[in-house]
Amino acid sequence: MKKLLDIFSQFILCDQALSEICCRFELKYYQKNELVQKEGFVANFLYFIDKGTLIIGNELEHKTITRYMAKENEFLACIDSFINRNISKEFIQATEPTTVYRISKDDFDVLVKKYPGVGEFCQKYFVESLIKCQQRITDLISLDSKSYYKNIVENNPEYIQKMNQYNLASFMGIKPESLSRIRKPD
């Protein structure tokens, strides 16, 4: 809870408000490969990862597409579904035993109305998510698979350590067999 408190204390200075914010988060544990959010349902929670990792993806033509891996001290949600209350086209899954703090959409909305700092946090989170998405798109269209893998090894080694080969290949937009070839030393 301390990590979560530290994040919100950047936006909220009042101890009473910080206490109320943190009280609205619920501690949850997920096992490796457990679905946190199922595709086809409304996303009712925003997650803060205390320990472990979560991937977000979707099914497309009976293939799993891994879009992002969130790690410790990051927030994650099926944003469109969470904000707009529509059916999610995405899933969230634990890649290892994972501990999260989650807040419901209703509680989150109450806090946003009551404390302007929560709105500032929300804006920062959405901007950071957009920047990460744009960088991933740039990498996918501008780098060949070997260069993309090298970039991941150098800048996000936890992806290599925490994603299985299938999810990593899916994230890179290639087949698992291609990833095996890329990983082989020259």
Side-chain angles (χ1 to χ4, degrees), residues 34-56:
E34 185 176 353
L35 281 175
V36 174
Q37 166 70 47
K38 293 180 181 178
E39 192 172 346
F41 294 87
V42 174
N44 291 315
F45 296 98
L46 171 68
Y47 301 92
F48 174 75
I49 303 166
D50 186 58
K51 185 164 178 50
T53 52
L54 299 174
I55 58 169
I56 189 167

mmCIF file of all heavy atoms in Angstrom, residues 34-56:
data_model
loop_
_atom_site.group_PDB
_atom_site.id
_atom_site.type_symbol
_atom_site.label_atom_id
_atom_site.label_comp_id
_atom_site.label_asym_id
_atom_site.label_seq_id
_atom_site.Cartn_x
_atom_site.Cartn_y
_atom_site.Cartn_z
ATOM 1 N N GLU A 34 -3.740 -16.697 -14.437
ATOM 2 C CA GLU A 34 -5.128 -16.432 -14.069
ATOM 3 C C GLU A 34 -5.633 -15.176 -14.782
ATOM 4 O O GLU A 34 -4.935 -14.165 -14.860
ATOM 5 C CB GLU A 34 -5.240 -16.253 -12.552
ATOM 6 C CG GLU A 34 -6.664 -16.100 -12.067
ATOM 7 C CD GLU A 34 -6.778 -16.018 -10.542
ATOM 8 O OE1 GLU A 34 -5.764 -16.204 -9.839
ATOM 9 O OE2 GLU A 34 -7.898 -15.765 -10.066
ATOM 10 N N LEU A 35 -6.868 -15.257 -15.286
ATOM 11 C CA LEU A 35 -7.477 -14.090 -15.921
ATOM 12 C C LEU A 35 -7.936 -13.111 -14.845
ATOM 13 O O LEU A 35 -8.640 -13.480 -13.913
ATOM 14 C CB LEU A 35 -8.663 -14.496 -16.792
ATOM 15 C CG LEU A 35 -8.311 -15.070 -18.155
ATOM 16 C CD1 LEU A 35 -9.568 -15.552 -18.878
ATOM 17 C CD2 LEU A 35 -7.564 -14.071 -19.018
ATOM 18 N N VAL A 36 -7.527 -11.874 -15.001
ATOM 19 C CA VAL A 36 -7.896 -10.798 -14.096
ATOM 20 C C VAL A 36 -9.143 -10.097 -14.642
ATOM 21 O O VAL A 36 -10.039 -9.726 -13.904
ATOM 22 C CB VAL A 36 -6.717 -9.804 -13.954
ATOM 23 C CG1 VAL A 36 -7.090 -8.592 -13.129
ATOM 24 C CG2 VAL A 36 -5.496 -10.529 -13.368
ATOM 25 N N GLN A 37 -9.177 -9.923 -15.949
ATOM 26 C CA GLN A 37 -10.314 -9.331 -16.661
ATOM 27 C C GLN A 37 -10.572 -10.187 -17.884
ATOM 28 O O GLN A 37 -9.653 -10.431 -18.665
ATOM 29 C CB GLN A 37 -9.985 -7.895 -17.094
ATOM 30 C CG GLN A 37 -10.922 -7.284 -18.117
ATOM 31 C CD GLN A 37 -12.304 -6.986 -17.581
ATOM 32 O OE1 GLN A 37 -12.438 -6.408 -16.513
ATOM 33 N NE2 GLN A 37 -13.334 -7.384 -18.300
ATOM 34 N N LYS A 38 -11.807 -10.634 -18.035
ATOM 35 C CA LYS A 38 -12.170 -11.438 -19.202
ATOM 36 C C LYS A 38 -12.635 -10.538 -20.337
ATOM 37 O O LYS A 38 -13.311 -9.537 -20.111
ATOM 38 C CB LYS A 38 -13.270 -12.437 -18.856
ATOM 39 C CG LYS A 38 -12.837 -13.511 -17.902
ATOM 40 C CD LYS A 38 -13.974 -14.465 -17.601
ATOM 41 C CE LYS A 38 -13.513 -15.523 -16.619
ATOM 42 N NZ LYS A 38 -14.607 -16.431 -16.261
ATOM 43 N N GLU A 39 -12.272 -10.935 -21.539
ATOM 44 C CA GLU A 39 -12.770 -10.283 -22.739
ATOM 45 C C GLU A 39 -14.275 -10.548 -22.830
ATOM 46 O O GLU A 39 -14.754 -11.616 -22.449
ATOM 47 C CB GLU A 39 -12.045 -10.898 -23.949
ATOM 48 C CG GLU A 39 -12.215 -10.185 -25.229
ATOM 49 C CD GLU A 39 -11.305 -10.756 -26.319
ATOM 50 O OE1 GLU A 39 -10.373 -11.525 -26.010
ATOM 51 O OE2 GLU A 39 -11.548 -10.431 -27.483
ATOM 52 N N GLY A 40 -15.035 -9.550 -23.297
ATOM 53 C CA GLY A 40 -16.471 -9.742 -23.458
ATOM 54 C C GLY A 40 -17.299 -9.293 -22.262
ATOM 55 O O GLY A 40 -18.514 -9.467 -22.237
ATOM 56 N N PHE A 41 -16.653 -8.719 -21.248
ATOM 57 C CA PHE A 41 -17.333 -8.205 -20.068
ATOM 58 C C PHE A 41 -16.918 -6.758 -19.850
ATOM 59 O O PHE A 41 -15.852 -6.333 -20.295
ATOM 60 C CB PHE A 41 -16.962 -9.027 -18.824
ATOM 61 C CG PHE A 41 -17.458 -10.443 -18.874
ATOM 62 C CD1 PHE A 41 -16.699 -11.440 -19.482
ATOM 63 C CD2 PHE A 41 -18.681 -10.775 -18.333
ATOM 64 C CE1 PHE A 41 -17.152 -12.739 -19.543
ATOM 65 C CE2 PHE A 41 -19.150 -12.082 -18.376
ATOM 66 C CZ PHE A 41 -18.382 -13.066 -18.994
ATOM 67 N N VAL A 42 -17.721 -6.001 -19.139
ATOM 68 C CA VAL A 42 -17.373 -4.622 -18.814
ATOM 69 C C VAL A 42 -16.235 -4.626 -17.790
ATOM 70 O O VAL A 42 -16.269 -5.390 -16.823
ATOM 71 C CB VAL A 42 -18.596 -3.855 -18.262
ATOM 72 C CG1 VAL A 42 -18.203 -2.453 -17.786
ATOM 73 C CG2 VAL A 42 -19.692 -3.773 -19.317
ATOM 74 N N ALA A 43 -15.234 -3.801 -18.026
ATOM 75 C CA ALA A 43 -14.102 -3.682 -17.096
ATOM 76 C C ALA A 43 -14.520 -2.799 -15.922
ATOM 77 O O ALA A 43 -14.733 -1.600 -16.093
ATOM 78 C CB ALA A 43 -12.890 -3.090 -17.817
ATOM 79 N N ASN A 44 -14.627 -3.392 -14.762
ATOM 80 C CA ASN A 44 -15.106 -2.666 -13.582
ATOM 81 C C ASN A 44 -14.000 -2.162 -12.675
ATOM 82 O O ASN A 44 -14.288 -1.513 -11.681
ATOM 83 C CB ASN A 44 -16.037 -3.577 -12.765
ATOM 84 C CG ASN A 44 -17.339 -3.825 -13.491
ATOM 85 O OD1 ASN A 44 -17.937 -2.908 -14.024
ATOM 86 N ND2 ASN A 44 -17.756 -5.076 -13.539
ATOM 87 N N PHE A 45 -12.734 -2.472 -13.002
ATOM 88 C CA PHE A 45 -11.651 -2.117 -12.089
ATOM 89 C C PHE A 45 -10.448 -1.513 -12.797
ATOM 90 O O PHE A 45 -10.144 -1.856 -13.941
ATOM 91 C CB PHE A 45 -11.179 -3.364 -11.317
ATOM 92 C CG PHE A 45 -12.228 -3.944 -10.418
ATOM 93 C CD1 PHE A 45 -12.992 -5.020 -10.831
ATOM 94 C CD2 PHE A 45 -12.466 -3.403 -9.162
ATOM 95 C CE1 PHE A 45 -13.975 -5.566 -10.022
ATOM 96 C CE2 PHE A 45 -13.448 -3.937 -8.336
ATOM 97 C CZ PHE A 45 -14.197 -5.017 -8.762
ATOM 98 N N LEU A 46 -9.769 -0.647 -12.064
ATOM 99 C CA LEU A 46 -8.444 -0.131 -12.403
ATOM 100 C C LEU A 46 -7.496 -0.823 -11.439
ATOM 101 O O LEU A 46 -7.765 -0.883 -10.227
ATOM 102 C CB LEU A 46 -8.399 1.387 -12.220
ATOM 103 C CG LEU A 46 -7.035 2.064 -12.327
ATOM 104 C CD1 LEU A 46 -6.514 1.994 -13.769
ATOM 105 C CD2 LEU A 46 -7.133 3.521 -11.879
ATOM 106 N N TYR A 47 -6.393 -1.366 -11.954
ATOM 107 C CA TYR A 47 -5.464 -2.157 -11.149
ATOM 108 C C TYR A 47 -4.138 -1.426 -10.968
ATOM 109 O O TYR A 47 -3.604 -0.851 -11.915
ATOM 110 C CB TYR A 47 -5.188 -3.503 -11.831
ATOM 111 C CG TYR A 47 -6.427 -4.314 -12.048
ATOM 112 C CD1 TYR A 47 -7.148 -4.218 -13.245
ATOM 113 C CD2 TYR A 47 -6.911 -5.166 -11.059
ATOM 114 C CE1 TYR A 47 -8.305 -4.947 -13.448
ATOM 115 C CE2 TYR A 47 -8.072 -5.898 -11.255
ATOM 116 C CZ TYR A 47 -8.760 -5.784 -12.453
ATOM 117 O OH TYR A 47 -9.915 -6.505 -12.642
ATOM 118 N N PHE A 48 -3.603 -1.509 -9.748
ATOM 119 C CA PHE A 48 -2.247 -1.056 -9.456
ATOM 120 C C PHE A 48 -1.450 -2.295 -9.090
ATOM 121 O O PHE A 48 -1.820 -3.035 -8.173
ATOM 122 C CB PHE A 48 -2.223 -0.060 -8.294
ATOM 123 C CG PHE A 48 -0.830 0.314 -7.873
ATOM 124 C CD1 PHE A 48 -0.075 1.177 -8.649
ATOM 125 C CD2 PHE A 48 -0.269 -0.233 -6.736
ATOM 126 C CE1 PHE A 48 1.227 1.507 -8.272
ATOM 127 C CE2 PHE A 48 1.019 0.094 -6.350
ATOM 128 C CZ PHE A 48 1.769 0.966 -7.121
ATOM 129 N N ILE A 49 -0.360 -2.533 -9.804
ATOM 130 C CA ILE A 49 0.418 -3.750 -9.585
ATOM 131 C C ILE A 49 1.436 -3.507 -8.470
ATOM 132 O O ILE A 49 2.357 -2.708 -8.620
ATOM 133 C CB ILE A 49 1.129 -4.191 -10.878
ATOM 134 C CG1 ILE A 49 0.079 -4.395 -11.980
ATOM 135 C CG2 ILE A 49 1.944 -5.465 -10.639
ATOM 136 C CD1 ILE A 49 0.649 -4.500 -13.364
ATOM 137 N N ASP A 50 1.245 -4.195 -7.372
ATOM 138 C CA ASP A 50 2.152 -4.103 -6.238
ATOM 139 C C ASP A 50 3.336 -5.043 -6.426
ATOM 140 O O ASP A 50 4.476 -4.683 -6.162
ATOM 141 C CB ASP A 50 1.399 -4.443 -4.951
ATOM 142 C CG ASP A 50 2.238 -4.227 -3.718
ATOM 143 O OD1 ASP A 50 2.706 -3.091 -3.511
ATOM 144 O OD2 ASP A 50 2.445 -5.201 -2.957
ATOM 145 N N LYS A 51 3.052 -6.247 -6.898
ATOM 146 C CA LYS A 51 4.110 -7.238 -7.127
ATOM 147 C C LYS A 51 3.654 -8.148 -8.263
ATOM 148 O O LYS A 51 2.521 -8.606 -8.276
ATOM 149 C CB LYS A 51 4.352 -8.044 -5.856
ATOM 150 C CG LYS A 51 5.521 -9.009 -5.956
ATOM 151 C CD LYS A 51 5.945 -9.466 -4.588
ATOM 152 C CE LYS A 51 7.068 -10.453 -4.610
ATOM 153 N NZ LYS A 51 8.225 -10.116 -5.393
ATOM 154 N N GLY A 52 4.549 -8.394 -9.219
ATOM 155 C CA GLY A 52 4.235 -9.268 -10.331
ATOM 156 C C GLY A 52 4.028 -8.503 -11.628
ATOM 157 O O GLY A 52 4.435 -7.344 -11.747
ATOM 158 N N THR A 53 3.391 -9.155 -12.588
ATOM 159 C CA THR A 53 3.160 -8.550 -13.901
ATOM 160 C C THR A 53 1.820 -9.012 -14.470
ATOM 161 O O THR A 53 1.365 -10.120 -14.206
ATOM 162 C CB THR A 53 4.270 -8.924 -14.910
ATOM 163 O OG1 THR A 53 4.427 -10.342 -14.919
ATOM 164 C CG2 THR A 53 5.588 -8.271 -14.575
ATOM 165 N N LEU A 54 1.227 -8.136 -15.260
ATOM 166 C CA LEU A 54 -0.014 -8.430 -15.959
ATOM 167 C C LEU A 54 0.176 -8.113 -17.437
ATOM 168 O O LEU A 54 0.857 -7.149 -17.779
ATOM 169 C CB LEU A 54 -1.170 -7.565 -15.431
ATOM 170 C CG LEU A 54 -1.552 -7.701 -13.967
ATOM 171 C CD1 LEU A 54 -2.608 -6.654 -13.602
ATOM 172 C CD2 LEU A 54 -2.062 -9.097 -13.673
ATOM 173 N N ILE A 55 -0.431 -8.927 -18.294
ATOM 174 C CA ILE A 55 -0.447 -8.595 -19.715
ATOM 175 C C ILE A 55 -1.880 -8.243 -20.104
ATOM 176 O O ILE A 55 -2.838 -8.718 -19.503
ATOM 177 C CB ILE A 55 0.077 -9.734 -20.616
ATOM 178 C CG1 ILE A 55 -0.732 -11.016 -20.424
ATOM 179 C CG2 ILE A 55 1.566 -9.956 -20.413
ATOM 180 C CD1 ILE A 55 -0.439 -12.094 -21.459
ATOM 181 N N ILE A 56 -1.960 -7.381 -21.107
ATOM 182 C CA ILE A 56 -3.255 -7.037 -21.672
ATOM 183 C C ILE A 56 -3.212 -7.426 -23.146
ATOM 184 O O ILE A 56 -2.184 -7.262 -23.811
ATOM 185 C CB ILE A 56 -3.598 -5.540 -21.483
ATOM 186 C CG1 ILE A 56 -5.038 -5.248 -21.890
ATOM 187 C CG2 ILE A 56 -2.622 -4.646 -22.206
ATOM 188 C CD1 ILE A 56 -5.538 -3.882 -21.439
#
